[in-house]
Amino acid sequence: MKKILVVMLALVLALSCCSFAMAEMKDEYDVRVLVWKFDDTYGSSVRQGMDKWAGLVGEELGCKINLQMYDAADDMAKQIEQANILVSEKPDFVIINLAEVASGQTLVDMFKGADIPFLFYNKPPTEETYDSVVKDSGSFFVGTLAREAGDMQGEILYDLWSADAASIDLNGDGKIQFVEFEGEPNNAEAIARSQYSQETAEALGVPMEMVVEDWVVANWDSSQAQEKMLATWAAHPEIELVFANNDDMAIGVIAALNQSGYNTGNEGDSSIAVIGVDATDAAYEAIRAGKMTATVKQDGDAMGEANIRFAMNYLINGTWMDGLESKYTLNEDGVSVYIPYAKITAENVG
């Protein structure tokens, strides 16, 4: 009899807990997104993904997710001003795309002080601040394994070299003269992509020679890349390859090359290899047109979905991963997941 009573009591407690959890579920959630800049092409695909998945995940959960986004226009001071507005308005959750990767602690202190939960995506805090900004704050990071994009760029070059070295080594000196366009200084993603694109290609057996002393910083921007490629190309017409940390910069590089009659896509015109990252619509079009060699797909829709799912999981269940283990793999740091990359070349661009 006592055992029956104990079981019944346990069932009552379990049901009461379930009732409480369901009572805590709201009909509507107010989720805000701080974005480093709206006019970043890959970032726009993530924003579109969040819009889409806010609707879909809301339908799954039986609630409405009201999403509002803020453009910092690549200005950390402006992003802090926007964060001040959010602190005063007390949304349910904030999703953060840092305008300045070294300044995450400022936002952490603001939102922790206001008891507003948050996560970071796409641009990780600097290595020096990562623990305090993500781990110690109880937050989470949705991103990519930065070196994977660089590795894949190097692997793409190796495949081209193995298939037809002469098509890449235009001057026939047995090595590839190249430049690397870096997204921004102190950005872990940019550094890893720049480092491993070269190191992976060399490790696979491609002889490389960087024609300038350091990576060319163009801040993820097409116009800056075009301007800097014009100057670099004028000083080093021997360049045979450009690695770019993102497709916007790759498109800017191609625009500069077009001014010299290179990479036009027209039959008979000269061309050098240009390999980017992101797989934007513009990159797909350039690859199809024969203007761009390849890119590495960074899945903005998948990142947008992950942002929404982790935010809502935390709001409803009080945990980041519980219930999402079948969809995402938690990294060793215990506070992040990575969205995988994929190679896009002329063979599979369709």
Side-chain angles (χ1 to χ4, degrees), residues 63-176:
C63 65
K64 183 177 181 182
I65 303 171
N66 296 312
L67 207 59
Q68 187 172 346
M69 304 190 192
Y70 299 79
D71 181 10
D74 198 17
D75 183 343
M76 192 65 204
K78 184 174 182 180
Q79 191 164 77
I80 292 170
E81 289 177 7
Q82 293 165 344
N84 270 314
I85 294 171
L86 303 195
V87 166
S88 67
E89 295 181 352
K90 295 280 289 186
D92 294 305
F93 198 95
V94 180
I95 299 171
I96 304 169
N97 180 209
L98 281 171
E100 190 176 280
V101 292
S103 301
Q105 190 64 49
T106 302
L107 300 186
V108 167
D109 293 342
M110 294 172 70
F111 293 131
K112 288 284 285 185
D115 198 26
I116 301 171
F118 54 91
L119 66 77
F120 296 90
Y121 77 95
N122 182 226
K123 295 172 67 177
T126 57
E127 185 177 348
E128 296 78 14
T129 64
Y130 185 86
D131 282 357
S132 63
V133 169
V134 181
K135 279 187 175 182
D136 299 343
S137 71
S139 183
F140 203 74
F141 176 68
V142 178
T144 52
L145 179 58
R147 72 162 293 167
E148 185 179 8
D151 285 337
M152 287 187 176
Q153 285 183 306
E155 290 165 4
I156 289 168
L157 178 61
Y158 169 73
D159 290 341
L160 294 169
W161 176 265
S162 299
D164 184 6
S167 68
I168 305 295
D169 182 15
L170 302 180
N171 62 15
D173 68 350
K175 54 190 174 184
I176 305 299

Side-chain angles (χ1 to χ4, degrees), residues 11 13 15 17 23 37 52 81 97 131 170 179 184 186 212 228 244 246 267 269 289 305 336:
L11 286 171
L13 286 171
L15 288 171
C17 288
K37 66 173 184 174
K52 166 186 162 183
E81 289 177 7
N97 180 209
D131 282 357
L170 302 180
V179 291
E184 62 182 322
N186 302 318
V212 292
K228 293 191 175 185
N246 78 337
E267 187 174 351
D269 284 353
E305 177 186 1
S336 67

Side-chain angles (χ1 to χ4, degrees), residues 255-288:
L257 293 170
N258 289 167
Q259 294 185 37
S260 297
Y262 276 69
N263 292 61
T264 65
N266 298 327
E267 187 174 351
D269 284 353
S270 299
S271 182
I272 70 170
V274 178
I275 303 174
V277 177
D278 282 345
T280 63
D281 289 343
Y284 275 110
E285 183 179 340
I287 293 170
R288 292 191 190 103

